[in-house]
Amino acid sequence: MPVALTLAEIASRLGGRVVGTPGALIRQVGSLEHAGPDQITFFSRLRHKNKLTATRAAAVILAEDAQDLTSIPRIVCENPYAYFARVSQLFNPVSAPEPGRHPAATVANGAEIAATARVDAGAVVEDGAYVGERAWVGAGCYLGPGCSIGDDSRLHPSVVVYGGCRIGARAIIHSGAVIGADGFGIAQDAGQWIKIPQIGGVVIGDDVEIGANSTIDRGAIDDTVLEEGVKLDNQVQIGHNVRVGAHTAIAGCAGIAGSANIGCHCTIGGAAVILGHLKLADRVNVSAGTLISRSILAPGTYTGVFPFDVNASWTRNAVWLRHLSELSDRVRGLERLLGRKGENG
Amino acid sequence: MPVALTLAEIASRLGGRVVGTPGALIRQVGSLEHAGPDQITFFSRLRHKNKLTATRAAAVILAEDAQDLTSIPRIVCENPYAYFARVSQLFNPVSAPEPGRHPAATVANGAEIAATARVDAGAVVEDGAYVGERAWVGAGCYLGPGCSIGDDSRLHPSVVVYGGCRIGARAIIHSGAVIGADGFGIAQDAGQWIKIPQIGGVVIGDDVEIGANSTIDRGAIDDTVLEEGVKLDNQVQIGHNVRVGAHTAIAGCAGIAGSANIGCHCTIGGAAVILGHLKLADRVNVSAGTLISRSILAPGTYTGVFPFDVNASWTRNAVWLRHLSELSDRVRGLERLLGRKGENG
Amino acid sequence: MPVALTLAEIASRLGGRVVGTPGALIRQVGSLEHAGPDQITFFSRLRHKNKLTATRAAAVILAEDAQDLTSIPRIVCENPYAYFARVSQLFNPVSAPEPGRHPAATVANGAEIAATARVDAGAVVEDGAYVGERAWVGAGCYLGPGCSIGDDSRLHPSVVVYGGCRIGARAIIHSGAVIGADGFGIAQDAGQWIKIPQIGGVVIGDDVEIGANSTIDRGAIDDTVLEEGVKLDNQVQIGHNVRVGAHTAIAGCAGIAGSANIGCHCTIGGAAVILGHLKLADRVNVSAGTLISRSILAPGTYTGVFPFDVNASWTRNAVWLRHLSELSDRVRGLERLLGRKGENG
């Protein structure tokens, strides 16, 4: 049954201060542009002020310093985006799945499925695999021998978990994700590649979300580790023996090469690349599209992106990159000629 | 039954002017290098002139200005590549699938499958899902509750469509594509990430093609939209609430971050990245490997790629990127010393 | 039954020279940090000297010049990493699968499955497909009409092979890989895209490994080819009509655009991009994150990456990239003023 709450009821559950009609009735969240008269929205970017003025929402969540930008009912709070997240969770609760195994699932006798868990059609669960309480294994998922899925975890359809991998509680894993495939462990020998058996596993903590078609390789010898609260977007690649520290978030298409050690509370932007065997301290932010080629020992934001330009300008300028060293030599030469000491001289 | 057509018959169907034997019989298309004596090829790159000379094809499609480069039978037309596409479609027609549901498919009672549609083994179709006339749902596909697949669409094996997503007519969706997984909506709160329920959908217009293992996230609140005629290559990532305008083509491994608004008739090169909340005008071309970090309001081609070099040269030059600002200061200093006004001074 | 071998037995099988107790009994490989007292490890990076000192391993594999860095039993050899790979293979042998077709697999009557092959639950094998001796088709895999899988190949769960594709012997293909989807062949015509039927196939040689969620497109007309011994990591994209030469290795997230011709014994770093229609000579190494925009005719290492920096410094310096050409003009101007001839003048 859909939820309906007044502003006052919302604030009594989640905090914040109501300005305007406390009895305004809310049934769902909405965007500034499209919210209807029984929906609550949020405002966090000043440049969307016009949208705030035009909104037809019943109420808005905003910060102290924005509270006078509108006269519609509102909840004033410190972190409007996080508050909005909690409000949306109120109106869109996740319910436990109907338990049971679909007759078109294939569950080995030696697998252990909790009584409250659900396994959908086409899923295959191998011997020794464990599925926790209220966990939901979607259609067509594969759980390899001896892997385990924690309580209240949800695997959307077509997730593959290789044998022996361990996933914590409350995981959300989206379709097409592959957990525990072999790492890229090959040794060069006389012009051919010899495969190094990948005998480590993958250990994933609680409250981890993994996006669609992301891949997390098993360790070569020891385990690949994602600590609690890690969030991965779609098409993220995690190499073997990587460790991702707690509460780090990695945006889409990023790649973390083998044995990289990422700290806690980091953010890695979309399509960023972290080379192998590097260490990133806690609270490092890597900008989208940046390749990290050395360890980063201090918190902060790091960037390395070629600024785009209209093609003709890019062509004219980029050619000089192949002559930068020479250009700087020429500047040094001029400085010497004039008896001047360059900053690097 | 394989098709056989004379050059004259082809030209009568598709236009163009036949030069040489109009009765030359064609049974298939072929490449310049490998076409056999009953195959037609095309020529569009002058640097392949040697291959044209050497071809054993029965005929060739080419432009006016190239018609004298060969003496084999030929069709002269304005756009040889597009013409070739149409000829290849003649010889390789797509036929409607044999209708029916494979006994090893799992179709919910509340799903609606058109009488002329086909659902293959291992597919799972949930309640309220709709599959249109002559549509083909491949082996192991998953159609979530309430989603809809338009007439004549083909989902190759192992495509996942989450609940509520709507796909138009004549779609071609390749294996491993995931439509409608949650967007990467998380809010930071006291060092932890709070999930924002992703309650929007995905709406895909007619005549869209989506490559293997591409991912298109559902909207956070409103929908993610791909307009008609959009073509996505493999491993493309489309974030939540993105809009891709009609007839835009996006090459492999490109990523479009959340809420980006891409115009119509754009081309996005392979591995390019468009950051979130940006707007790209119609007819913008983004070069491969380019990261777009600001909105682009004018048509044109935009590039931002570090030109590769032999590693030693790259190392010698790239180090100066960390001193560019200083280098320019030194040049300014010299200009002042000499009483000269720099272009930026 | 787990293997147990003395150092002497290992050396008699694989070569190398034992220093210290030849009778030391080994049961498994381990990492320098975590190896236990019946495990053998390897040492190849001098900066891990501390870990070597601290290791509790029973034995270590190392090179001549490192043999005196420890006093534990050791095997001295030329290529410790390759030697380690072989030792790990000894202790972790790959066994042939139990033959048979799972009753929940769907195998067409016209498919040919070797008597010693195995097909797991949920797999779908179409007419005319061939599965070789001792090959293992994992759960939920799809083998299209007329494709073939060589002897001793292993397809992990959820691999898709489109019709007509040919895979050699001893392949290892990880979950989510898609072989033979249509290439991105579209022709522009009056503002719309016309699909070019992709009628080529994919031909994969012996001893190829393909990582999770990688995609290899079928050819437009002729075939896409991976020669023997090619190794692909996860999320690699291979466009139509690409040829990858023998024993080339391509790291995660790399993309090879259509008709590129990569030589033998190349290495392509993670997230690197090779544009279409280019030729790379044998023994070319492309650094991670590098975009190759022209053919490379000589062996060597090639790089093109923007060096990352703290964001503020990057911002300060990167802005000058849009003025590089002008900056060089100003330097030239100064040189002329001083009667000096620049290196490029």
Side-chain angles (χ1 to χ4, degrees):
Chain A
M1 219 186 59
V3 184
L5 295 169
T6 64
L7 276 196
E9 285 168 336
I10 292 171
S12 84
R13 293 198 195 186
L14 302 179
R17 180 165 51 85
V18 175
V19 178
T21 329
L25 198 66
I26 308 296
R27 295 180 193 276
Q28 186 51 283
V29 297
S31 63
L32 271 177
E33 297 96 312
H34 299 119
D38 57 355
Q39 292 179 350
I40 188 167
T41 186
F42 74 104
F43 174 79
S44 62
R45 293 166 180 256
L46 267 185
R47 63 176 149 131
H48 290 164
K49 209 157 34 170
N50 290 342
K51 291 181 182 170
L52 177 59
T53 309
T55 192
R56 292 170 302 120
V60 61
I61 301 158
L62 35 59
E64 192 82 28
D65 59 3
Q67 67 173 311
D68 297 330
L69 295 177
T70 181
S71 60
I72 67 172
R74 47 213 187 274
I75 294 179
V76 178
C77 61
E78 270 187 37
N79 184 342
Y81 194 48
Y83 195 101
F84 175 78
R86 294 192 196 282
V87 171
S88 183
Q89 287 178 355
L90 278 184
F91 288 103
N92 304 283
V94 177
S95 49
E98 285 288 307
R101 307 177 194 190
H102 195 283
T106 301
V107 179
N109 289 330
E112 185 185 349
I113 315 284
T116 54
R118 174 186 176 111
V119 180
D120 279 350
V124 174
V125 183
E126 302 277 17
D127 255 352
Y130 170 78
V131 178
E133 299 292 342
R134 297 165 305 279
W136 184 347
V137 178
C141 286
Y142 174 82
L143 303 186
C147 73
S148 75
I149 310 296
D151 295 346
D152 299 291
S153 286
R154 174 156 195 196
L155 275 57
H156 285 272
S158 289
V159 168
V160 172
V161 183
Y162 279 55
C165 298
R166 306 203 312 267
I167 295 171
R170 295 176 299 282
I172 301 171
I173 307 187
H174 285 284
S175 294
V178 177
I179 319 284
D182 284 350
F184 200 50
I186 51 176
Q188 181 68 252
D189 190 29
Q192 309 220 359
W193 298 103
I194 312 172
K195 182 176 177 69
I196 298 165
Q198 302 289 298
I199 62 173
V202 176
V203 177
I204 296 179
D206 294 337
D207 298 298
V208 168
E209 182 159 359
I210 296 172
N213 284 348
S214 286
T215 50
I216 302 173
D217 280 347
R218 65 190 316 114
I221 303 176
D222 302 325
D223 294 329
T224 301
V225 177
L226 271 64
E227 296 182 352
E228 70 271 16
V230 165
K231 310 293 179 187
L232 306 187
D233 196 357
N234 296 349
Q235 298 195 35
V236 170
Q237 150 69 2
I238 307 282
H240 53 182
N241 298 105
V242 165
R243 170 189 161 260
V244 181
H247 308 295
T248 281
I250 303 182
C253 307
I256 317 291
S259 300
N261 186 337
I262 314 286
C264 301
H265 301 288
C266 293
T267 62
I268 311 289
V273 175
I274 315 293
L275 295 191
H277 295 272
L278 301 184
K279 183 171 172 48
L280 267 63
D282 294 347
R283 298 179 194 285
V284 163
N285 308 307
V286 174
S287 301
T290 295
L291 182 141
I292 301 297
S293 50
R294 292 191 300 201
S295 289
I296 298 179
L297 304 178
T301 298
Y302 298 83
T303 308
V305 170
F306 200 106
F308 81 92
D309 205 342
V310 295
N311 183 267
S313 303
W314 171 80
T315 303
R316 194 170 56 241
N317 288 308
V319 66
W320 286 99
L321 285 172
R322 290 193 163 139
H323 303 284
L324 264 193
S325 173
E326 174 209 304
L327 188 66
S328 97
D329 285 348
R330 286 162 60 193
V331 172
R332 172 91 59 107
L334 290 167
E335 288 167 339
R336 285 195 177 136
L337 192 68
L338 294 166
R340 188 185 173 89
K341 196 163 173 298
E343 279 82 346
N344 271 349
Chain B
M1 218 187 61
V3 184
L5 296 169
T6 64
L7 276 196
E9 286 167 335
I10 292 172
S12 83
R13 293 199 194 186
L14 302 179
R17 179 166 53 85
V18 175
V19 178
T21 330
L25 197 68
I26 308 295
R27 295 180 193 278
Q28 186 51 283
V29 297
S31 63
L32 272 177
E33 297 97 312
H34 299 119
D38 57 357
Q39 293 179 351
I40 188 167
T41 187
F42 74 105
F43 174 78
S44 63
R45 292 167 181 256
L46 268 185
R47 64 176 148 129
H48 290 164
K49 209 157 35 168
N50 291 341
K51 291 181 182 169
L52 177 59
T53 309
T55 192
R56 293 170 302 120
V60 62
I61 301 158
L62 35 58
E64 191 83 27
D65 60 1
Q67 65 174 310
D68 296 332
L69 295 177
T70 181
S71 60
I72 66 172
R74 46 213 187 273
I75 294 178
V76 177
C77 62
E78 270 188 36
N79 184 343
Y81 195 46
Y83 196 101
F84 175 78
R86 293 193 198 281
V87 171
S88 183
Q89 288 177 356
L90 279 184
F91 288 103
N92 303 283
V94 176
S95 49
E98 285 287 308
R101 308 178 193 187
H102 195 284
T106 300
V107 179
N109 289 331
E112 186 185 349
I113 315 284
T116 54
R118 174 187 176 110
V119 180
D120 279 350
V124 174
V125 183
E126 302 276 16
D127 255 352
Y130 170 78
V131 178
E133 299 294 341
R134 298 165 304 279
W136 185 347
V137 178
C141 285
Y142 174 82
L143 302 185
C147 71
S148 75
I149 310 296
D151 295 347
D152 300 291
S153 286
R154 174 156 194 195
L155 277 57
H156 285 271
S158 290
V159 167
V160 171
V161 182
Y162 280 55
C165 298
R166 307 203 312 266
I167 296 170
R170 296 175 299 281
I172 301 172
I173 308 187
H174 285 283
S175 294
V178 177
I179 318 285
D182 284 350
F184 200 51
I186 51 176
Q188 181 67 252
D189 190 31
Q192 309 220 359
W193 297 104
I194 312 173
K195 182 175 178 69
I196 297 165
Q198 302 290 297
I199 63 174
V202 176
V203 177
I204 296 179
D206 294 339
D207 298 298
V208 168
E209 181 159 357
I210 297 172
N213 284 348
S214 286
T215 51
I216 301 173
D217 280 346
R218 66 192 313 114
I221 304 176
D222 302 324
D223 294 330
T224 302
V225 177
L226 270 63
E227 295 181 353
E228 71 271 15
V230 166
K231 310 292 179 187
L232 306 186
D233 195 357
N234 296 348
Q235 298 196 33
V236 170
Q237 150 70 1
I238 306 283
H240 52 182
N241 298 104
V242 165
R243 170 189 161 261
V244 181
H247 308 295
T248 280
I250 303 182
C253 308
I256 317 292
S259 300
N261 187 336
I262 314 286
C264 301
H265 300 288
C266 294
T267 62
I268 311 288
V273 175
I274 315 293
L275 295 191
H277 295 272
L278 302 183
K279 184 171 172 48
L280 266 62
D282 293 348
R283 298 179 194 284
V284 163
N285 308 307
V286 175
S287 301
T290 295
L291 183 141
I292 300 298
S293 50
R294 292 191 300 202
S295 290
I296 297 179
L297 304 179
T301 298
Y302 298 83
T303 309
V305 170
F306 200 106
F308 82 91
D309 205 342
V310 295
N311 183 266
S313 303
W314 171 80
T315 302
R316 193 170 56 243
N317 288 307
V319 65
W320 285 99
L321 286 171
R322 290 193 164 139
H323 302 285
L324 264 194
S325 174
E326 173 209 305
L327 187 67
S328 97
D329 285 348
R330 287 163 58 192
V331 172
R332 172 90 60 105
L334 289 168
E335 287 166 340
R336 286 196 176 134
L337 190 68
L338 294 166
R340 187 185 173 90
K341 197 164 173 297
E343 279 82 344
N344 271 349
Chain C
M1 218 187 62
V3 183
L5 295 169
T6 64
L7 277 196
E9 285 167 336
I10 293 172
S12 83
R13 294 199 194 188
L14 302 179
R17 178 166 53 85
V18 176
V19 178
T21 329
L25 198 67
I26 309 296
R27 294 178 193 278
Q28 185 52 283
V29 297
S31 63
L32 272 176
E33 296 97 313
H34 299 119
D38 56 357
Q39 293 179 350
I40 187 167
T41 187
F42 74 104
F43 174 79
S44 62
R45 293 166 181 257
L46 267 185
R47 64 177 148 128
H48 289 165
K49 207 155 41 166
N50 291 340
K51 290 181 183 170
L52 177 59
T53 310
T55 193
R56 290 170 304 120
V60 63
I61 300 159
L62 36 58
E64 191 82 28
D65 60 1
Q67 66 172 311
D68 296 330
L69 295 176
T70 180
S71 60
I72 66 171
R74 49 212 185 274
I75 294 179
V76 178
C77 61
E78 269 188 38
N79 185 342
Y81 195 47
Y83 196 101
F84 175 78
R86 294 193 197 281
V87 170
S88 183
Q89 287 178 356
L90 278 185
F91 288 103
N92 304 283
V94 176
S95 48
E98 285 287 308
R101 307 177 194 188
H102 194 282
T106 300
V107 179
N109 289 330
E112 185 186 348
I113 315 284
T116 53
R118 174 187 175 111
V119 180
D120 280 350
V124 174
V125 183
E126 303 277 15
D127 255 352
Y130 170 77
V131 178
E133 300 293 340
R134 296 166 305 279
W136 183 349
V137 177
C141 285
Y142 174 82
L143 302 186
C147 72
S148 75
I149 310 295
D151 295 347
D152 299 292
S153 286
R154 174 156 194 194
L155 277 58
H156 285 272
S158 290
V159 167
V160 172
V161 182
Y162 279 55
C165 299
R166 307 204 311 269
I167 296 171
R170 295 175 300 281
I172 301 172
I173 307 186
H174 285 283
S175 293
V178 176
I179 318 285
D182 284 351
F184 200 51
I186 52 177
Q188 181 68 250
D189 190 29
Q192 307 220 0
W193 297 104
I194 312 172
K195 182 175 178 70
I196 297 164
Q198 302 289 297
I199 62 173
V202 176
V203 177
I204 296 180
D206 294 338
D207 298 298
V208 168
E209 182 159 358
I210 296 172
N213 284 348
S214 286
T215 51
I216 301 173
D217 279 347
R218 65 189 316 111
I221 305 176
D222 302 323
D223 294 329
T224 302
V225 177
L226 271 63
E227 296 182 352
E228 70 271 15
V230 165
K231 310 294 178 185
L232 306 187
D233 195 359
N234 296 348
Q235 298 195 35
V236 170
Q237 151 68 0
I238 307 283
H240 53 181
N241 298 105
V242 165
R243 171 188 161 261
V244 182
H247 309 295
T248 281
I250 303 182
C253 307
I256 317 291
S259 299
N261 186 336
I262 314 285
C264 302
H265 301 288
C266 294
T267 62
I268 311 289
V273 175
I274 315 293
L275 295 190
H277 295 272
L278 301 184
K279 184 171 171 49
L280 267 62
D282 294 347
R283 298 180 195 284
V284 163
N285 308 307
V286 175
S287 300
T290 295
L291 182 141
I292 300 298
S293 51
R294 292 191 298 201
S295 290
I296 298 179
L297 304 178
T301 297
Y302 297 83
T303 308
V305 170
F306 200 106
F308 82 92
D309 205 342
V310 294
N311 183 267
S313 302
W314 171 80
T315 304
R316 194 170 57 240
N317 289 307
V319 66
W320 286 99
L321 285 173
R322 289 192 164 142
H323 303 284
L324 263 194
S325 174
E326 174 208 304
L327 187 66
S328 96
D329 285 348
R330 288 163 59 193
V331 171
R332 173 91 59 106
L334 289 168
E335 287 167 340
R336 285 193 177 137
L337 191 67
L338 293 167
R340 188 186 173 89
K341 195 161 174 299
E343 279 82 344
N344 271 351

